[in-house]
Amino acid sequence: MKVLSVASEVAPLIKTGGLADVAGALPAALKAQGVDMRTLMPGYPKVLEALGDGRQILTDGDLYGGPAQILYGKAAGLDMYVLDAAHLFYRDGGPYAAPDGFDWWDNAERFAALCWMAARLCAEGHLHGWQPDVLHAHDWQGGLAPVYLQRMGVSHKVGSVMTIHNIAFTGSAGSDMLGRLRLPAEGYNSGGFEFYGRISALKAGISYADRVNTVSPTYAEELKTPEFGMGFDGTLKFRGSAFSGILNGIDTEVWNPVTDPKVIPYKALRGKAKARAALTEELGLDPDRGPLGVVVSRLTEQKGLDLLLHALPRLLERGGQLALLGSGDAWLEEQFLAAAQANPGQVAVRIGYDEPLSHRLIAGGDAILVPSRFEPCGLTQLYGLRYGTVPVVANTGGLADTVIPLTFATRTAGVATGIQFQPGSGDACVAAMDTLCDLWAQPKAFQQVQRNGMKHPVGWDTSAAEYAALFAEASKHP
Ligand code: ADP
Ligand code: GLC
């Protein structure tokens, strides 16, 4: 089975969030399932640099306003097709936004171009010796690809799977863009890619792909409700059994406390104490206070960190501490910085993106705090489980699917791995801080929860098999 994955970010080449981790990890995870996955991504400067001399596979004289080529080669150990289109992707700044933080004005065309070339690779694969059976599109940036497969007349030969990592990003464009985006006018309706009077690339993927999935079973159920579906609930319900949830895994080699070169490695909790001591010293925190809650996150509405601000006084009052690494909304950055200033030695805040520090936080913390309003899967609670850092999470999406909450029953059975609370509630977050501090006050019970977490499977094995089965369902040559 040959699968072409189409993604706007792929770790370790370029990353703004978990999508990159998943797109980067799936090819290796799927190899064991007999799936030969190659990845198509945009030729951002860093990506072209990592690719070096690629082999030219396809050219296009006018790809949404300029010349383009697809180069094939290895980058960061992955089999990559890179879309080299300087007028669209060779820019300073992030994958979606300019250095001033504003979205690129032409994002609709940029990712339409990625999808167009993905469909061409599928339509013309036989010409260059690698014919995909299935196209795997990630998020709205890949959403138009299934439409283009149909437009190029190959959707009966090449299957398609659309993976929703986050429904909040719809890939919206005005209806006057139909022609410019090379979309068929007859698809502009509620059963196609029309969404509240505009074009939505995400809706296109949901409507046209042979199979649709999201990144946890609970989020798949939540998405079918008006509360979480953000307007897509009806369409997703309509897809019936063609829509499912497959839980993300993490790269258990990169995130392995025993071999992690970014931390003082440890196998058991005694060793973790050293990583903790190094972290409290680095951040100027009090080594004798606890529990030490850590956060590694984008600072946005989704992540519910305003709820944590509400609950922070309780954590501190009870002797706990907080260390946060993140960046995003200015008001959240300011409030956390103010909290650090007001509580020296008890709250440490680092604004920015820092991969090595994220490892040191996960290794050195006692608890990883994830108070999200919604969370399709979430990866940091999985890192926490693996590093014996107890997840304290909102009971939603993938957080609900990965953490066994402390209750009377789970405690009696000795199986709890973390603490869960009602999403979106500041008071529930305060109560969760109390539960955490109560547990911390009983070292044996705390350690049991840590050890349970360290045994919880967080890798890709099961989910890779589910993806392989999904690709087989979508394939036109079963
Ligand atoms: P999302 O994709 O919604 O941001 P996930 O939990 O799925 O949430 O993935 C976030 C990923 O980005 C994780 O690998 C996390 O460690 C990483 N991350 C987020 N913020 C930072 C940061 N400021 N520095 C380093 N890594 C970060
Ligand atoms: C999204 C979601 C996150 C998920 C990630 C990878 O960014 O917000 O929950 O883990 O994609 O699938």
Side-chain angles (χ1 to χ4, degrees), residues 25 29 247-253 255-257 377-389 391 398 401-403 417 452-464:
L247 192 67
N248 285 338
I250 59 170
D251 186 327
T252 49
E253 278 174 31
W255 290 95
N256 180 352
C377 180
L379 300 178
T380 62
Q381 84 280 10
L382 298 175
Y383 306 152
L385 286 169
R386 187 140 167 86
Y387 282 64
T389 307
D401 290 336
T402 52
V403 175
T417 62
N452 291 344
M454 290 173 93
K455 282 187 261 164
H456 193 91
V458 290
W460 271 106
D461 295 356
T462 310
S463 300

Side-chain angles (χ1 to χ4, degrees), residues 172-191:
S172 178
S175 57
D176 56 329
M177 295 277 288
L178 269 177
R180 280 197 31 217
L181 297 180
R182 305 181 184 177
L183 290 170
E186 65 272 17
Y188 187 70
N189 57 55
S190 61

